[in-house]
Amino acid sequence: MEQTLSPENFFFDQNALEQSALAEIRKQLASGKKLAVALSGGSDSVFLLYIAKLLCGNKNITALHFNHKVRKNADVDEEFCKTLCKKLDVKLVAKSRQKSLKKISEESLRKLRGDFFEKECKKLKIDAILQGHIKTDVAETMLMRLMRGSALEGLCAPRPVAKSNGLIKIRPILTLAKPEIQDVLKKFGIKWREDESNFSSIFLRNKIRNEVLPLFENACGANFASSAFRTRKLLEEDARFIEDAFLRETKPEGKKIFLSDFAASSQALLRRAAQKLLAQNGQKLRAGAVDLFLDECLKGKSAQTSLKTGFMLFNPKEKSLEIIEAKPAAKWEISLTFGENKLPIGGSIFLEEAEISSAMLEKIKGGHFDESQFAFVRPMPSGLFARNTEPSDAYAPIGSKSKRLVKDMMSAKKTPVLKRKSFPLVCLSSGEAIWSPSLAIADFCKLNDVGRAFRLTYKPAY
């Protein structure tokens, strides 16, 4: 016969809980705040709910349950959570997925659940939520992050206390393993639900849990989850040290972060500055692109990398990182005269006369000049002008008899979209396009012999 529990007869040694998480719970309660508890119905979250009630009292917590509507027993799990919360006299907010998903993945389900938690906590004016991550979750997460090549911050997850999008996430049972938790629940006659999808290896996390971790355990002959737990803690200590150094050595101002001499020469602090700047401005950048950008910054020279909606720049003179948002493209046109021609969108095109020798001609034909900056053309009887590019712009580049769209040629050369929009198009006075930075010149105006020629040099604004 199932035992009816109350806070008085349910007991668990609080010393076994994650102490920094426990301290955060007490801090929240001391300031008169209530807490949310993530409740799925599984053993970890059921145990967490009992711990939360023991620590906080049933009137200071609200359980949150999200039904993804993916598993056949999902509705049964929701009913179980409703019955459990009613029995414990704990408020429950339960919601279900309403929209269909194009693709069911761990990431899409996690985001739906996370968005639900954030929305409900904001509505309930709750600043913190308790989550049932356990010791095995640390090992699983660490292996998944290693597979992605994560940096220090990624390898510290899940932290006992973390904050994202304004919501504090507290994980007090991070020190415990599932067998320990289930033994306690059995001891007190507390039931829970089994998620049948946990036994399937369709999702990566389940595959790591069911297949990879057992192999690690057998190979090393030790408790890998405990080792990973300790490693995560040590990495967090290092991450905090770097974070403290970052706060001392940098000064944020809007979309810009100023760096001390030390920070500007430290790859770790530069990386953290770049990551924070990207996150604060809702921008993303591939890990490889970040690495290349930092390599250029450490040379002490100006550096730039394209983003989805702008650029990230490193200014070595003022030692700063800055994000420049791209502005909507506007139509413009200017006549090109000899010397520097400043463009309305920033940057310049230099038009110069050049005397081409045999050696120079060989270098031009051999591709020794960067097409993103230089172009050599036969002297044109009509004038030249530059304008913004349009989707329909096309010309036949060197070696081609037929015209190709400028945007297609740039795409083939993997020119970033934002750069394509900022590049000027050089045309004859008749309107015929002859060159855009990063592309070969038009075939009809290529150099065939030594002698006089026009040299075009493009210098971007950043």
Side-chain angles (χ1 to χ4, degrees), residues 86-296:
K86 184 177 181 181
K87 175 181 175 180
L88 296 179
D89 193 24
V90 170
K91 180 181 177 180
L92 171 70
V93 177
K95 295 287 177 67
S96 301
R97 174 173 62 87
Q98 301 299 318
K99 297 180 180 179
S100 60
L101 294 173
K102 292 182 180 179
K103 182 181 179 182
I104 295 175
S105 65
E106 287 177 284
E107 178 60 25
S108 64
L109 297 178
R110 185 195 64 78
K111 187 177 187 310
L112 282 173
R113 187 168 60 251
D115 289 347
F116 162 70
F117 290 155
E118 290 175 10
K119 181 180 178 181
E120 293 304 321
C121 285
K122 188 175 182 180
K123 190 185 297 182
L124 295 166
K125 297 182 179 180
I126 289 176
D127 295 335
I129 182 170
L130 275 58
Q131 294 182 308
H133 293 80
I134 61 174
K135 189 179 287 186
T136 316
D137 291 312
V138 174
E140 294 165 5
T141 302
M142 187 170 290
L143 287 176
M144 291 173 72
R145 298 294 173 87
L146 285 170
M147 291 167 63
R148 298 176 192 166
S150 292
L152 184 58
E153 286 296 317
L155 296 174
C156 291
R159 291 193 181 201
V161 181
K163 189 174 183 179
S164 64
N165 297 328
L167 183 62
I168 301 170
K169 297 173 181 178
I170 309 173
R171 295 152 182 144
I173 62 173
L174 204 59
T175 49
L176 306 177
K178 193 174 290 290
E180 297 175 76
I181 290 170
Q182 293 185 348
D183 283 346
V184 173
L185 293 178
K186 289 174 183 176
K187 177 182 176 182
F188 286 91
I190 302 171
K191 293 182 179 180
W192 67 86
R193 293 288 300 166
E194 289 289 358
D195 182 346
E196 68 274 15
S197 69
N198 285 339
F199 303 104
S200 166
S201 294
I202 296 176
F203 292 141
L204 177 59
R205 183 174 288 275
N206 288 354
K207 181 174 285 191
I208 288 175
R209 179 186 303 135
N210 299 329
E211 300 177 19
V212 179
L213 278 178
L215 289 175
F216 265 76
E217 298 280 351
N218 292 332
C220 65
N223 190 320
F224 179 74
S226 294
S227 299
F229 180 81
R230 183 174 187 277
T231 297
R232 190 217 66 78
K233 187 176 180 181
L234 295 174
L235 290 174
E236 185 179 356
E237 291 175 4
D238 292 345
R240 285 178 176 173
F241 177 81
I242 295 175
E243 180 65 17
D244 289 343
F246 175 80
L247 293 174
R248 287 195 310 270
E249 303 292 336
T250 63
K251 182 183 177 183
E253 285 188 13
K255 295 180 182 292
K256 185 181 286 192
I257 294 180
F258 290 94
L259 309 159
S260 68
D261 290 345
F262 175 69
S265 62
S266 165
Q267 190 159 11
L269 297 184
L270 270 171
R271 185 181 300 279
R272 189 165 291 246
Q275 290 171 338
K276 285 186 179 291
L277 201 58
L278 290 167
Q280 289 167 3
N281 290 278
Q283 300 274 14
K284 291 184 178 180
L285 191 61
R286 290 182 299 103
V290 172
D291 292 342
L292 291 173
F293 176 69
L294 294 182
D295 287 344
E296 290 302 308

Side-chain angles (χ1 to χ4, degrees), residues 128 268 301 318:
K301 299 178 180 178
E318 65 177 25

Side-chain angles (χ1 to χ4, degrees), residues 174-440:
L174 204 59
T175 49
L176 306 177
K178 193 174 290 290
E180 297 175 76
I181 290 170
Q182 293 185 348
D183 283 346
V184 173
L185 293 178
K186 289 174 183 176
K187 177 182 176 182
F188 286 91
I190 302 171
K191 293 182 179 180
W192 67 86
R193 293 288 300 166
E194 289 289 358
D195 182 346
E196 68 274 15
S197 69
N198 285 339
F199 303 104
S200 166
S201 294
I202 296 176
F203 292 141
L204 177 59
R205 183 174 288 275
N206 288 354
K207 181 174 285 191
I208 288 175
R209 179 186 303 135
N210 299 329
E211 300 177 19
V212 179
L213 278 178
L215 289 175
F216 265 76
E217 298 280 351
N218 292 332
C220 65
N223 190 320
F224 179 74
S226 294
S227 299
F229 180 81
R230 183 174 187 277
T231 297
R232 190 217 66 78
K233 187 176 180 181
L234 295 174
L235 290 174
E236 185 179 356
E237 291 175 4
D238 292 345
R240 285 178 176 173
F241 177 81
I242 295 175
E243 180 65 17
D244 289 343
F246 175 80
L247 293 174
R248 287 195 310 270
E249 303 292 336
T250 63
K251 182 183 177 183
E253 285 188 13
K255 295 180 182 292
K256 185 181 286 192
I257 294 180
F258 290 94
L259 309 159
S260 68
D261 290 345
F262 175 69
S265 62
S266 165
Q267 190 159 11
L269 297 184
L270 270 171
R271 185 181 300 279
R272 189 165 291 246
Q275 290 171 338
K276 285 186 179 291
L277 201 58
L278 290 167
Q280 289 167 3
N281 290 278
Q283 300 274 14
K284 291 184 178 180
L285 191 61
R286 290 182 299 103
V290 172
D291 292 342
L292 291 173
F293 176 69
L294 294 182
D295 287 344
E296 290 302 308
C297 294
L298 289 169
K299 293 176 183 176
K301 299 178 180 178
S302 297
Q304 167 187 321
T305 186
S306 296
L307 306 174
K308 188 175 182 180
T309 57
F311 301 92
M312 181 159 63
L313 311 172
F314 173 67
N315 184 328
K317 290 184 179 179
E318 65 177 25
K319 293 184 176 61
S320 68
L321 285 177
E322 181 179 11
I323 284 183
I324 305 292
E325 296 286 351
K327 296 179 181 178
K331 289 189 175 183
W332 58 271
E333 180 180 310
I334 62 166
S335 295
L336 297 181
T337 58
F338 287 109
E340 181 180 8
N341 298 269
K342 291 187 176 181
L343 304 176
I345 56 171
S348 302
I349 290 181
F350 290 81
L351 176 60
E352 302 166 287
E353 282 192 281
E355 193 66 30
I356 306 301
S357 64
S358 297
M360 176 70 84
L361 185 61
E362 288 302 312
K363 284 186 177 182
I364 294 171
K365 290 183 176 181
H368 286 259
F369 291 90
D370 184 359
E371 290 177 338
S372 66
Q373 279 192 289
F374 303 100
F376 292 86
V377 299
R378 309 192 272 110
M380 295 293 150
S382 62
L384 300 175
F385 71 90
R387 63 170 173 80
N388 60 289
T389 56
E390 299 284 357
S392 59
D393 287 330
Y395 67 85
I398 289 178
S400 177
K401 294 182 179 180
S402 57
K403 289 186 176 182
R404 296 178 59 194
L405 289 171
V406 170
K407 64 178 183 179
D408 289 348
M409 289 191 283
M410 288 189 178
S411 178
K413 299 201 76 168
K414 301 189 184 313
T415 305
V417 175
L418 281 171
K419 279 192 175 182
R420 297 180 212 172
K421 292 180 180 179
S422 67
F423 281 159
L425 184 71
V426 178
C427 306
L428 302 179
S429 59
S430 62
E432 185 79 10
I434 64 170
W435 179 63
S436 184
S438 82
L439 302 181

Side-chain angles (χ1 to χ4, degrees), residues 39-101:
L39 179 65
S40 66
S43 59
D44 304 336
S45 70
V46 169
F47 177 77
L48 177 67
L49 183 63
Y50 274 89
I51 289 293
K53 185 176 180 182
L54 182 66
L55 295 173
C56 312
N58 59 323
K59 298 305 179 184
N60 289 321
I61 57 174
T62 297
L64 301 180
H65 175 82
F66 187 74
N67 185 344
H68 298 93
K69 291 286 185 180
V70 172
R71 297 178 293 104
K72 64 179 182 179
N73 291 325
D75 291 341
V76 180
D77 293 348
E78 182 177 339
E79 286 304 314
F80 170 83
C81 291
K82 289 178 179 178
T83 302
L84 176 63
C85 289
K86 184 177 181 181
K87 175 181 175 180
L88 296 179
D89 193 24
V90 170
K91 180 181 177 180
L92 171 70
V93 177
K95 295 287 177 67
S96 301
R97 174 173 62 87
Q98 301 299 318
K99 297 180 180 179
S100 60
L101 294 173

